[in-house]
Amino acid sequence: MPWGLWSYPPPGGTDDASSSASKIKDNENNKQNKTSGPEAGADAVATPVQPPPPPRQQKIPLDYMRPEKPRDPNAHISWNDSLNAIPWSERLLKPSDLLYQGTVIVGAIALYGLYRSHLRRIPMAGNIDQSFYRRRKLLGKVTSVGDGDNFRMFHTPGGRLAGWGWLRKVPTGKQELKGRTLSVRLAGVDAPETAHFGRPAQPFSAEALTFLRDYVLGKRVRAHIYRKDQYDRVVATVYVRKAPFFLKKDVGLEMLKRGLATTYEAKTGAEFGGDKTKEKYLATEAAARKRGKGLWSAETGGFFGFGKKKDIESPRAFKERMKTVDVKPSGTVKTPNGKTSSTKVSK
């Protein structure tokens, strides 16, 4: 063979390596056909076929397979078991549960604030919070009138909407009312003094007391409270509704219109509830004095203003004068000029 042609395949076939590989593959195919085909002899052994694996079965918990037994209500459960029965860590951290808990807490706080500010009944003046003064109005029913400018009131928070008068009864007996009423002093006015502590009564004191009883006794009033005085009374501007139109009336202002009271004359501690109210009270007193109403009638001097005029002693001046009067146990009063007079002591 020429040396230049040694790399070319022989004519008519493949090279030796490829021919040997094809022969080996043909021999393997012939062996397989002999063992599996019909020509295979009796001594030939068939290759076993592997069956498919069975489907995987899921493990079922035993508690699910057992029939559920009814729980005995009388069975004893320990405290730890009862707590562990509920997944508290999961329940308390859920957003829906957190929102529900927050709503309940905020609602409870709001209801308590509403009750404390507007629905809690105040039995006496000493039970009023300092934050209530000049900010709250107390609704109640007048149970007694002690003087021309003060009375006692049973606090009825919420009024008829809270059931007072038809679901909740306002007591009327003295024993039932003992220690359960507020003593109210009309702000900005001073009525003539009645006879008490062995001292005589001031002119027009009976008329002022009668008017106040007829005007507010047994009525529902609204008191705008300002402060508490030295006698443990609530100083307040009091309003009451009157027929036929049930308009709101200022009780102190109505007494000034009729000349049954004067504006409060104390140098310090005078309470009107504001400068506007004070100006209105002073103007009303001046108009009643000009017309000669009530206790100012003595200034007119008799028939059509002719005659001798008398000096009017204000309730404040009367009380200052009575401080210098000696009161004897027998009910007689000794004045500074040495004269004595009998007095009617009020009980």
Side-chain angles (χ1 to χ4, degrees):
M1 176 183 300
W3 68 272
L5 300 177
W6 63 271
S7 61
Y8 292 94
T14 61
D15 58 354
D16 296 339
S18 61
S19 60
S20 62
S22 60
K23 289 180 181 180
I24 293 172
K25 187 175 182 179
D26 292 340
N27 294 334
E28 290 179 354
N29 291 336
N30 293 332
K31 290 180 181 180
Q32 185 176 3
N33 291 335
K34 288 180 181 181
T35 56
S36 60
E39 295 129 352
D43 296 336
V45 179
T47 303
V49 179
Q50 297 293 334
R56 186 175 181 182
Q57 296 182 357
Q58 297 181 355
K59 294 184 179 180
I60 301 176
L62 297 178
D63 293 342
Y64 179 80
M65 300 174 64
R66 296 171 184 170
E68 185 179 357
K69 295 181 180 180
R71 181 178 176 274
D72 185 6
N74 298 325
H76 175 72
I77 300 177
S78 64
W79 175 255
N80 293 331
D81 293 342
S82 63
L83 291 178
N84 296 331
I86 301 175
W88 294 106
S89 58
E90 299 178 3
R91 293 292 304 274
L92 296 178
L93 296 179
K94 291 177 62 177
S96 59
D97 289 344
L98 290 175
L99 179 62
Y100 172 76
Q101 295 166 13
T103 304
V104 171
I105 294 173
V106 173
I109 295 174
L111 289 176
Y112 177 74
L114 177 65
Y115 164 76
R116 185 172 179 81
S117 300
H118 300 283
L119 298 178
R120 180 174 63 95
R121 210 191 77 79
I122 302 174
M124 300 181 69
N127 302 113
I128 300 177
D129 292 341
Q130 291 296 326
S131 60
F132 281 22
Y133 290 114
R134 301 185 182 277
R135 298 178 61 185
R136 292 286 186 269
K137 304 168 187 176
L138 302 182
L139 183 65
K141 186 175 181 180
V142 178
T143 58
S144 64
V145 177
D147 208 342
D149 49 24
N150 62 81
F151 57 85
R152 286 194 169 272
M153 178 185 76
F154 185 87
H155 183 214
T156 56
R160 289 187 175 274
L161 294 177
W164 292 104
W166 54 288
L167 287 178
R168 307 169 71 179
K169 181 182 177 182
V170 177
T172 56
K174 290 184 178 181
Q175 294 297 328
E176 294 178 314
L177 293 171
K178 187 176 181 180
R180 302 176 64 190
T181 56
L182 295 166
S183 182
V184 181
R185 172 69 163 82
L186 295 178
V189 299
D190 202 2
E193 293 293 312
T194 58
H196 57 274
F197 303 118
R199 295 170 181 172
Q202 190 178 1
F204 286 94
S205 61
E207 290 82 352
L209 178 59
T210 301
F211 170 80
L212 188 60
R213 281 177 178 171
D214 296 338
Y215 208 70
V216 300
L217 185 60
K219 304 294 192 303
R220 290 181 175 84
V221 297
R222 189 180 297 273
H224 296 226
I225 59 177
Y226 304 127
R227 62 179 178 85
K228 187 173 65 172
D229 66 2
Q230 66 272 24
Y231 301 108
D232 204 24
R233 299 177 301 186
V234 182
V235 181
T237 300
V238 180
Y239 295 90
V240 63
R241 295 191 178 275
K242 286 293 181 178
F245 302 107
F246 295 97
L247 299 177
K248 187 171 63 174
K249 299 289 186 179
D250 185 344
V251 178
L253 187 66
E254 295 299 321
M255 295 190 70
L256 290 173
K257 288 180 180 179
R258 292 162 175 80
L260 299 176
T262 63
T263 54
Y264 202 76
E265 297 176 342
K267 295 181 180 180
T268 59
E271 182 62 71
F272 289 87
D275 294 336
K276 292 184 178 180
T277 304
K278 182 178 180 179
E279 294 175 1
K280 181 171 60 175
Y281 278 22
L282 290 173
T284 304
E285 180 189 31
R289 189 170 188 173
K290 185 177 181 180
R291 293 194 299 267
K293 294 287 186 178
L295 60 89
W296 307 113
S297 60
E299 286 187 339
T300 59
F303 186 71
F304 289 105
F306 297 99
K308 185 178 180 180
K309 296 183 179 181
K310 297 180 181 179
D311 294 332
I312 302 300
E313 187 178 29
S314 67
R316 180 71 180 178
F318 178 81
K319 284 183 283 188
E320 292 294 332
R321 183 171 63 85
M322 285 295 105
K323 290 180 180 179
T324 62
V325 174
D326 296 331
V327 181
K328 294 183 178 181
S330 59
T332 59
V333 176
K334 185 178 180 180
T335 59
N337 58 7
K339 296 181 179 181
T340 59
S341 62
S342 61
T343 60
K344 183 181 179 181
V345 180
S346 62
K347 297 182 180 180

